[in-house]
Amino acid sequence: TEAAPTMPRLTHSNVTQHMDAINRAEQALVSFVRVKDNDGIHDGCQLIWNIGLPLLQPNLRSHVKRPLAAAAAALEDTVSTYQ
């Protein structure tokens, strides 16, 4: 059997760029929530997830906890408005 692929190690520069990008995406998500733009909320959450994936390594997870929690809360609020 083949070994599972491993995530490449991120350089300090990569981590900094991902953190900056995820923080900007979170700011955009807050704006979409404020104006109740459901399409923007969904896009913002998807962007936060995609940017955050490389940061889910055990030593970096603390950097994505808040943005992912904000995305989950925004999606939960969006779903509750449809019910």
Side-chain angles (χ1 to χ4, degrees):
T1 61
E2 291 184 30
T6 59
M7 286 284 271
R9 290 199 54 89
L10 296 174
T11 65
H12 178 70
S13 175
N14 294 134
V15 171
T16 302
Q17 289 173 344
H18 274 81
M19 287 173 38
D20 182 47
I22 204 166
N23 288 331
R24 288 177 186 222
E26 184 183 10
Q27 291 171 355
L29 178 63
V30 169
S31 297
F32 288 132
V33 169
R34 188 177 314 118
V35 297
K36 296 179 171 73
D37 180 347
N38 288 336
D39 290 333
I41 291 170
H42 290 152
D43 291 343
C45 291
Q46 184 177 11
L47 186 60
I48 287 171
W49 175 256
N50 288 333
I51 294 169
L53 279 176
L55 298 176
L56 289 177
Q57 297 177 31
N59 61 326
L60 299 173
R61 286 184 185 155
S62 62
H63 298 295
V64 294
K65 184 177 180 178
R66 190 189 72 242
L68 287 175
L75 286 174
E76 188 175 324
D77 290 344
T78 302
V79 170
S80 67
T81 61
Y82 285 123
Q83 295 178 354

Coordinates of all heavy atoms in Angstrom, one line a residue:
T1 N 0.8 -1.2 0.0 CA 0.0 0.0 0.0 C 0.9 1.2 0.0 O 2.0 1.2 0.5 CB -0.9 0.0 1.2 OG1 -0.1 0.1 2.4 CG2 -1.9 -1.2 1.3
E2 N 0.3 2.3 -0.5 CA 1.0 3.6 -0.6 C 0.8 4.3 0.7 O -0.2 4.3 1.3 CB 0.5 4.4 -1.8 CG 0.8 3.8 -3.1 CD 0.4 4.8 -4.2 OE1 0.3 6.0 -4.0 OE2 0.1 4.2 -5.3
A3 N 1.9 5.1 1.1 CA 1.8 5.9 2.2 C 0.9 7.1 1.9 O 0.8 7.6 0.8 CB 3.2 6.4 2.6
A4 N 0.2 7.6 2.9 CA -0.7 8.8 2.7 C 0.2 10.0 2.4 O 1.3 10.1 3.0 CB -1.5 9.0 4.0
P5 N -0.2 10.9 1.6 CA 0.5 12.1 1.3 C 0.6 13.0 2.5 O -0.3 13.0 3.3 CB -0.2 12.7 0.1 CG -1.6 12.2 0.2 CD -1.5 10.8 0.8
T6 N 1.8 13.6 2.7 CA 2.0 14.5 3.8 C 1.9 15.9 3.3 O 2.1 16.3 2.2 CB 3.3 14.3 4.5 OG1 4.3 14.5 3.5 CG2 3.4 12.9 5.0
M7 N 1.4 16.8 4.3 CA 1.4 18.2 4.0 C 2.8 18.8 3.9 O 3.6 18.4 4.8 CB 0.6 18.9 5.0 CG -0.9 18.7 5.0 SD -1.7 19.6 3.7 CE -2.0 21.2 4.5
P8 N 3.1 19.6 2.9 CA 4.4 20.2 2.9 C 4.6 21.2 4.1 O 3.6 21.8 4.5 CB 4.4 20.9 1.6 CG 3.0 21.1 1.2 CD 2.2 20.0 1.8
R9 N 5.7 21.3 4.6 CA 6.0 22.2 5.7 C 5.9 23.6 5.2 O 6.4 23.9 4.1 CB 7.3 21.9 6.3 CG 7.3 20.6 7.1 CD 8.4 20.5 8.1 NE 8.5 21.5 9.1 CZ 7.9 21.6 10.3 NH1 7.0 20.6 10.6 NH2 8.1 22.5 11.2
L10 N 5.2 24.5 5.9 CA 5.1 25.8 5.6 C 6.3 26.7 6.1 O 6.7 26.5 7.3 CB 3.8 26.4 6.1 CG 2.5 25.8 5.5 CD1 1.3 26.3 6.3 CD2 2.4 26.0 4.1
T11 N 6.7 27.6 5.3 CA 7.8 28.5 5.8 C 7.1 29.6 6.6 O 5.9 29.8 6.6 CB 8.5 29.2 4.6 OG1 7.6 30.0 3.9 CG2 9.1 28.1 3.7
H12 N 7.9 30.3 7.4 CA 7.3 31.4 8.2 C 6.6 32.4 7.3 O 5.5 32.9 7.6 CB 8.5 32.1 8.9 CG 8.0 33.3 9.7 ND1 7.2 33.1 10.9 CD2 8.2 34.6 9.6 CE1 6.9 34.3 11.4 NE2 7.5 35.2 10.6
S13 N 7.2 32.7 6.1 CA 6.5 33.6 5.1 C 5.2 33.1 4.7 O 4.2 33.8 4.6 CB 7.5 33.8 3.9 OG 6.8 34.6 3.0
N14 N 5.1 31.8 4.4 CA 3.8 31.2 4.0 C 2.8 31.3 5.1 O 1.6 31.6 4.8 CB 4.0 29.7 3.6 CG 4.8 29.4 2.4 OD1 5.7 28.5 2.5 ND2 4.6 30.2 1.3
V15 N 3.2 31.0 6.3 CA 2.2 31.1 7.4 C 1.7 32.5 7.6 O 0.6 32.8 7.8 CB 2.9 30.6 8.7 CG1 2.0 30.9 9.9 CG2 3.2 29.1 8.6
T16 N 2.7 33.5 7.5 CA 2.3 34.9 7.6 C 1.3 35.3 6.5 O 0.3 36.0 6.8 CB 3.5 35.8 7.6 OG1 4.4 35.4 8.6 CG2 3.2 37.2 7.7
Q17 N 1.6 34.9 5.3 CA 0.7 35.2 4.2 C -0.7 34.6 4.4 O -1.7 35.2 4.1 CB 1.3 34.8 2.9 CG 2.4 35.6 2.5 CD 3.1 35.1 1.2 OE1 2.9 33.9 0.8 NE2 4.0 35.9 0.6
H18 N -0.8 33.3 4.8 CA -2.0 32.7 5.0 C -2.8 33.3 6.2 O -4.0 33.5 6.1 CB -1.8 31.2 5.3 CG -1.8 30.3 4.1 ND1 -0.6 30.2 3.4 CD2 -2.7 29.6 3.5 CE1 -0.9 29.4 2.4 NE2 -2.1 29.0 2.4
M19 N -2.1 33.7 7.3 CA -2.7 34.4 8.4 C -3.3 35.7 8.0 O -4.4 36.1 8.3 CB -1.8 34.5 9.5 CG -1.5 33.2 10.2 SD -0.1 33.3 11.5 CE -0.4 34.9 12.3
D20 N -2.6 36.5 7.2 CA -3.1 37.8 6.7 C -4.3 37.6 5.8 O -5.3 38.3 5.9 CB -1.9 38.5 5.9 CG -2.4 39.8 5.4 OD1 -2.9 40.6 6.2 OD2 -2.2 40.2 4.2
A21 N -4.2 36.6 4.9 CA -5.3 36.3 4.0 C -6.6 35.9 4.8 O -7.7 36.3 4.5 CB -4.9 35.3 3.0
I22 N -6.4 35.0 5.8 CA -7.6 34.5 6.5 C -8.2 35.6 7.3 O -9.4 35.7 7.5 CB -7.3 33.2 7.3 CG1 -8.5 32.4 7.5 CG2 -6.6 33.5 8.6 CD1 -8.3 31.0 8.0
N23 N -7.4 36.5 7.9 CA -7.9 37.6 8.6 C -8.7 38.6 7.7 O -9.7 39.1 8.1 CB -6.8 38.4 9.4 CG -6.3 37.6 10.5 OD1 -7.0 36.8 11.1 ND2 -5.0 37.7 10.9
R24 N -8.2 38.8 6.5 CA -8.9 39.7 5.6 C -10.2 39.0 5.2 O -11.2 39.7 5.0 CB -8.1 40.0 4.4 CG -6.9 40.9 4.6 CD -6.1 41.1 3.4 NE -4.9 41.9 3.7 CZ -4.5 42.9 2.9 NH1 -5.1 43.1 1.8 NH2 -3.4 43.6 3.3
A25 N -10.2 37.7 5.0 CA -11.4 37.0 4.6 C -12.4 37.1 5.7 O -13.6 37.2 5.5 CB -11.1 35.5 4.2
E26 N -12.0 37.0 7.0 CA -12.9 37.1 8.1 C -13.5 38.5 8.2 O -14.7 38.6 8.5 CB -12.1 36.8 9.4 CG -13.0 36.8 10.6 CD -12.3 36.5 11.9 OE1 -11.0 36.5 11.9 OE2 -13.0 36.3 12.9
Q27 N -12.7 39.5 7.9 CA -13.2 40.9 7.9 C -14.3 41.0 6.8 O -15.4 41.6 7.0 CB -12.1 41.9 7.6 CG -11.2 42.0 8.8 CD -10.0 42.9 8.4 OE1 -9.8 43.3 7.3 NE2 -9.1 43.2 9.4
A28 N -14.1 40.4 5.6 CA -15.1 40.5 4.6 C -16.3 39.7 5.0 O -17.4 40.2 4.7 CB -14.5 39.8 3.3
L29 N -16.1 38.6 5.7 CA -17.3 37.8 6.1 C -18.1 38.6 7.1 O -19.4 38.6 7.0 CB -16.8 36.5 6.8 CG -17.9 35.6 7.4 CD1 -18.8 35.1 6.3 CD2 -17.3 34.4 8.2
V30 N -17.5 39.3 8.0 CA -18.2 40.2 8.9 C -19.0 41.2 8.2 O -20.2 41.5 8.5 CB -17.2 40.9 9.9 CG1 -17.9 42.0 10.7 CG2 -16.6 39.8 10.9
S31 N -18.5 41.8 7.1 CA -19.2 42.7 6.3 C -20.4 42.1 5.6 O -21.5 42.7 5.6 CB -18.3 43.4 5.3 OG -17.3 44.1 5.9
F32 N -20.2 40.9 5.1 CA -21.3 40.2 4.4 C -22.4 39.9 5.4 O -23.6 40.0 5.1 CB -20.8 38.9 3.8 CG -20.0 39.1 2.5 CD1 -18.8 38.5 2.3 CD2 -20.5 40.0 1.5 CE1 -18.1 38.7 1.2 CE2 -19.7 40.2 0.4 CZ -18.5 39.5 0.2
V33 N -22.1 39.5 6.6 CA -23.1 39.2 7.7 C -23.8 40.5 8.0 O -25.0 40.5 8.2 CB -22.4 38.6 8.9 CG1 -23.3 38.6 10.1 CG2 -21.9 37.2 8.6
R34 N -23.1 41.6 8.1 CA -23.7 42.9 8.5 C -24.8 43.3 7.5 O -25.8 43.8 7.8 CB -22.6 43.9 8.6 CG -23.2 45.3 9.2 CD -22.1 46.3 9.4 NE -20.9 45.8 10.0 CZ -19.7 45.8 9.4 NH1 -19.5 46.3 8.2 NH2 -18.6 45.4 10.0
V35 N -24.5 43.1 6.2 CA -25.5 43.5 5.1 C -26.4 42.3 4.7 O -27.2 42.5 3.8 CB -24.7 44.1 3.9 CG1 -24.0 45.3 4.3 CG2 -23.9 43.0 3.2
K36 N -26.2 41.2 5.4 CA -27.1 40.0 5.2 C -27.0 39.5 3.7 O -28.1 39.2 3.1 CB -28.5 40.3 5.6 CG -28.7 40.6 7.1 CD -30.1 40.9 7.5 CE -30.3 40.9 8.9 NZ -29.8 42.0 9.6
D37 N -25.8 39.5 3.2 CA -25.6 39.0 1.8 C -25.3 37.5 1.9 O -24.1 37.1 2.2 CB -24.4 39.7 1.2 CG -24.1 39.3 -0.2 OD1 -24.6 38.2 -0.7 OD2 -23.4 40.0 -0.9
N38 N -26.3 36.6 1.7 CA -26.1 35.2 1.9 C -25.1 34.6 0.9 O -24.3 33.7 1.3 CB -27.4 34.5 1.8 CG -28.3 34.7 3.0 OD1 -27.8 35.0 4.1 ND2 -29.6 34.6 2.8
D39 N -25.1 35.1 -0.3 CA -24.1 34.6 -1.3 C -22.7 34.9 -0.8 O -21.8 34.1 -0.9 CB -24.4 35.1 -2.7 CG -25.6 34.5 -3.3 OD1 -26.0 33.3 -2.9 OD2 -26.2 35.1 -4.2
G40 N -22.5 36.2 -0.4 CA -21.2 36.6 0.1 C -20.8 35.8 1.3 O -19.6 35.5 1.5
I41 N -21.8 35.5 2.2 CA -21.4 34.8 3.4 C -20.9 33.4 3.0 O -19.9 32.9 3.5 CB -22.7 34.6 4.3 CG1 -23.0 36.0 4.9 CG2 -22.5 33.6 5.4 CD1 -24.3 36.1 5.7
H42 N -21.6 32.7 2.1 CA -21.2 31.4 1.7 C -19.8 31.5 1.0 O -19.0 30.6 1.3 CB -22.2 30.8 0.7 CG -23.5 30.4 1.4 ND1 -24.7 30.4 0.8 CD2 -23.8 30.0 2.7 CE1 -25.6 30.0 1.6 NE2 -25.1 29.8 2.8
D43 N -19.6 32.4 0.1 CA -18.3 32.6 -0.5 C -17.2 32.9 0.5 O -16.1 32.3 0.4 CB -18.3 33.7 -1.6 CG -19.2 33.3 -2.8 OD1 -19.5 32.1 -3.0 OD2 -19.6 34.3 -3.5
G44 N -17.5 33.7 1.5 CA -16.5 34.1 2.5 C -16.2 32.9 3.3 O -15.0 32.6 3.7
C45 N -17.1 32.0 3.7 CA -16.9 30.8 4.5 C -16.1 29.8 3.7 O -15.1 29.2 4.2 CB -18.2 30.2 4.9 SG -19.1 31.2 6.1
Q46 N -16.4 29.7 2.4 CA -15.6 28.8 1.6 C -14.1 29.3 1.5 O -13.2 28.5 1.5 CB -16.2 28.7 0.2 CG -15.5 27.7 -0.7 CD -16.2 27.6 -2.0 OE1 -17.1 28.4 -2.4 NE2 -15.9 26.6 -2.8
L47 N -14.0 30.6 1.3 CA -12.6 31.2 1.2 C -11.9 30.9 2.5 O -10.7 30.5 2.5 CB -12.7 32.6 0.9 CG -11.4 33.4 0.6 CD1 -10.7 32.8 -0.6 CD2 -11.8 34.9 0.4
I48 N -12.5 31.2 3.7 CA -11.8 30.9 5.0 C -11.4 29.5 5.1 O -10.3 29.2 5.5 CB -12.8 31.4 6.1 CG1 -12.8 32.9 6.2 CG2 -12.3 30.8 7.5 CD1 -13.9 33.5 7.1
W49 N -12.3 28.6 4.7 CA -12.0 27.1 4.8 C -10.7 26.8 3.9 O -9.8 26.2 4.4 CB -13.2 26.3 4.4 CG -12.8 24.8 4.3 CD1 -12.6 24.1 3.2 CD2 -12.6 24.0 5.5 NE1 -12.3 22.8 3.6 CE2 -12.3 22.7 5.0 CE3 -12.7 24.1 6.8 CZ2 -12.1 21.6 5.8 CZ3 -12.5 23.1 7.7 CH2 -12.1 21.8 7.1
N50 N -10.8 27.3 2.7 CA -9.7 27.0 1.7 C -8.4 27.6 2.2 O -7.3 26.9 2.1 CB -10.0 27.4 0.3 CG -11.1 26.5 -0.3 OD1 -11.2 25.3 0.1 ND2 -11.9 27.1 -1.2
I51 N -8.4 28.8 2.7 CA -7.2 29.4 3.1 C -6.7 28.8 4.4 O -5.5 28.6 4.6 CB -7.4 30.9 3.4 CG1 -7.7 31.7 2.1 CG2 -6.2 31.6 4.1 CD1 -8.2 33.1 2.3
G52 N -7.6 28.3 5.2 CA -7.2 27.8 6.5 C -6.7 26.3 6.5 O -6.0 25.9 7.4
L53 N -7.0 25.6 5.4 CA -6.6 24.2 5.3 C -5.1 24.0 5.6 O -4.8 23.1 6.4 CB -7.0 23.6 4.0 CG -8.4 23.2 3.9 CD1 -8.7 22.7 2.4 CD2 -8.8 22.1 4.9
P54 N -4.2 24.7 5.0 CA -2.8 24.5 5.3 C -2.4 24.8 6.8 O -1.4 24.3 7.3 CB -2.0 25.4 4.3 CG -3.0 25.7 3.3 CD -4.4 25.7 3.9
L55 N -3.2 25.6 7.4 CA -2.9 26.0 8.8 C -3.5 25.1 9.8 O -3.5 25.3 11.0 CB -3.4 27.4 9.0 CG -2.8 28.5 8.2 CD1 -3.5 29.9 8.5 CD2 -1.3 28.6 8.4
L56 N -4.1 24.0 9.4 CA -4.7 23.0 10.3 C -3.7 22.0 10.9 O -4.0 21.0 11.5 CB -5.9 22.2 9.6 CG -7.1 23.1 9.4 CD1 -8.2 22.3 8.7 CD2 -7.6 23.6 10.7
Q57 N -2.4 22.2 10.6 CA -1.4 21.4 11.2 C -1.4 21.7 12.7 O -1.7 22.8 13.2 CB 0.0 21.8 10.6 CG 0.1 21.5 9.1 CD 1.4 21.9 8.5 OE1 2.4 21.9 9.2 NE2 1.3 22.3 7.2
P58 N -1.1 20.7 13.5 CA -1.2 20.8 15.0 C -0.6 22.0 15.6 O -1.1 22.7 16.4 CB -0.5 19.5 15.5 CG -0.7 18.5 14.4 CD -0.6 19.3 13.1
N59 N 0.6 22.4 15.1 CA 1.3 23.6 15.7 C 0.7 24.9 15.2 O 1.1 26.0 15.7 CB 2.8 23.5 15.4 CG 3.1 23.5 13.9 OD1 2.4 23.0 13.1 ND2 4.2 24.1 13.6
L60 N -0.2 24.9 14.2 CA -0.7 26.2 13.6 C -2.2 26.3 13.8 O -2.7 27.4 13.5 CB -0.4 26.2 12.1 CG 1.1 26.2 11.8 CD1 1.3 26.1 10.3 CD2 1.8 27.4 12.3
R61 N -2.9 25.4 14.4 CA -4.3 25.4 14.5 C -4.9 26.6 15.2 O -6.0 27.1 14.9 CB -4.8 24.1 15.1 CG -4.7 22.9 14.2 CD -5.3 21.7 14.8 NE -5.1 20.6 13.9 CZ -5.1 19.3 14.3 NH1 -5.2 19.0 15.6 NH2 -4.8 18.4 13.4
S62 N -4.1 27.1 16.2 CA -4.6 28.2 17.0 C -4.8 29.5 16.1 O -5.6 30.3 16.4 CB -3.6 28.6 18.1 OG -2.4 29.0 17.5
H63 N -4.2 29.5 14.9 CA -4.3 30.7 14.0 C -5.6 30.7 13.3 O -6.0 31.7 12.7 CB -3.2 30.7 13.0 CG -1.8 30.9 13.7 ND1 -1.5 32.0 14.4 CD2 -0.8 30.1 13.8 CE1 -0.3 31.9 14.9 NE2 0.2 30.7 14.5
V64 N -6.3 29.5 13.2 CA -7.5 29.4 12.4 C -8.8 29.2 13.2 O -9.9 29.2 12.7 CB -7.4 28.3 11.3 CG1 -6.4 28.7 10.2 CG2 -7.2 27.0 11.9
K65 N -8.6 29.1 14.5 CA -9.7 28.8 15.4 C -10.8 29.9 15.3 O -12.0 29.6 15.1 CB -9.3 28.6 16.8 CG -10.3 28.2 17.8 CD -9.8 28.0 19.2 CE -10.9 27.6 20.1 NZ -10.4 27.3 21.5
R66 N -10.4 31.1 15.5 CA -11.4 32.2 15.5 C -12.1 32.4 14.1 O -13.3 32.5 14.0 CB -10.7 33.5 15.9 CG -11.7 34.7 16.1 CD -11.1 36.0 16.4 NE -10.5 36.5 15.1 CZ -9.2 36.7 14.9 NH1 -8.4 36.5 15.8 NH2 -8.8 37.1 13.7
P67 N -11.3 32.4 13.0 CA -12.0 32.6 11.7 C -12.9 31.4 11.3 O -14.0 31.6 10.8 CB -10.8 32.7 10.7 CG -9.6 33.1 11.5 CD -9.8 32.6 12.9
L68 N -12.5 30.2 11.7 CA -13.4 29.0 11.4 C -14.6 29.1 12.3 O -15.7 28.7 11.8 CB -12.6 27.7 11.6 CG -11.6 27.4 10.5 CD1 -10.8 26.1 10.8 CD2 -12.3 27.3 9.1
A69 N -14.5 29.5 13.5 CA -15.7 29.6 14.4 C -16.6 30.7 13.8 O -17.8 30.6 13.9 CB -15.2 30.0 15.8
A70 N -16.0 31.8 13.3 CA -16.9 32.9 12.8 C -17.6 32.4 11.5 O -18.8 32.7 11.3 CB -16.0 34.1 12.4
A71 N -16.9 31.6 10.7 CA -17.5 31.0 9.5 C -18.7 30.1 9.9 O -19.8 30.1 9.3 CB -16.5 30.3 8.6
A72 N -18.4 29.3 10.9 CA -19.5 28.3 11.3 C -20.7 29.1 11.9 O -21.8 28.7 11.5 CB -18.9 27.4 12.3
A73 N -20.4 30.1 12.6 CA -21.5 30.9 13.2 C -22.3 31.6 12.1 O -23.6 31.6 12.1 CB -21.0 31.9 14.2
A74 N -21.6 32.1 11.1 CA -22.3 32.8 10.0 C -23.1 31.9 9.2 O -24.3 32.2 8.9 CB -21.2 33.5 9.1
L75 N -22.6 30.7 9.0 CA -23.4 29.7 8.2 C -24.6 29.2 9.0 O -25.7 29.1 8.5 CB -22.5 28.5 7.8 CG -21.5 28.7 6.7 CD1 -20.7 27.5 6.6 CD2 -22.3 29.0 5.4
E76 N -24.4 29.1 10.3 CA -25.5 28.7 11.2 C -26.6 29.7 11.2 O -27.8 29.4 11.1 CB -25.0 28.4 12.6 CG -26.1 27.8 13.5 CD -25.5 27.5 14.9 OE1 -24.3 27.1 15.0 OE2 -26.2 27.7 15.9
D77 N -26.2 31.0 11.3 CA -27.2 32.1 11.2 C -27.9 32.1 9.9 O -29.1 32.4 9.8 CB -26.6 33.4 11.5 CG -26.1 33.5 13.0 OD1 -26.6 32.7 13.8 OD2 -25.3 34.4 13.3
T78 N -27.2 31.9 8.8 CA -27.8 31.9 7.5 C -28.8 30.8 7.3 O -29.9 31.0 6.8 CB -26.7 31.7 6.4 OG1 -25.7 32.8 6.5 CG2 -27.2 31.8 5.0
V79 N -28.5 29.6 7.8 CA -29.4 28.5 7.7 C -30.7 28.8 8.5 O -31.8 28.5 8.1 CB -28.7 27.2 8.2 CG1 -29.7 26.1 8.4 CG2 -27.7 26.8 7.2
S80 N -30.5 29.4 9.7 CA -31.7 29.6 10.6 C -32.6 30.7 9.9 O -33.8 30.7 10.2 CB -31.2 30.1 11.9 OG -30.6 31.4 11.9
T81 N -32.1 31.5 9.0 CA -33.0 32.5 8.4 C -33.9 31.9 7.3 O -34.9 32.4 6.9 CB -32.2 33.7 7.8 OG1 -31.3 33.2 6.8 CG2 -31.4 34.4 8.8
Y82 N -33.4 30.7 6.8 CA -34.2 30.0 5.8 C -35.3 29.1 6.4 O -36.1 28.7 5.7 CB -33.3 29.1 4.9 CG -32.4 29.9 4.0 CD1 -31.0 29.8 4.0 CD2 -33.0 30.7 3.0 CE1 -30.3 30.5 3.1 CE2 -32.2 31.4 2.1 CZ -30.9 31.3 2.1 OH -30.1 32.0 1.3
Q83 N -35.2 28.9 7.7 CA -36.2 28.0 8.3 C -37.5 28.7 8.7 O -37.6 29.8 8.9 CB -35.6 27.3 9.5 CG -34.5 26.4 9.1 CD -33.8 25.7 10.3 OE1 -34.2 26.0 11.4 NE2 -32.9 24.8 10.0

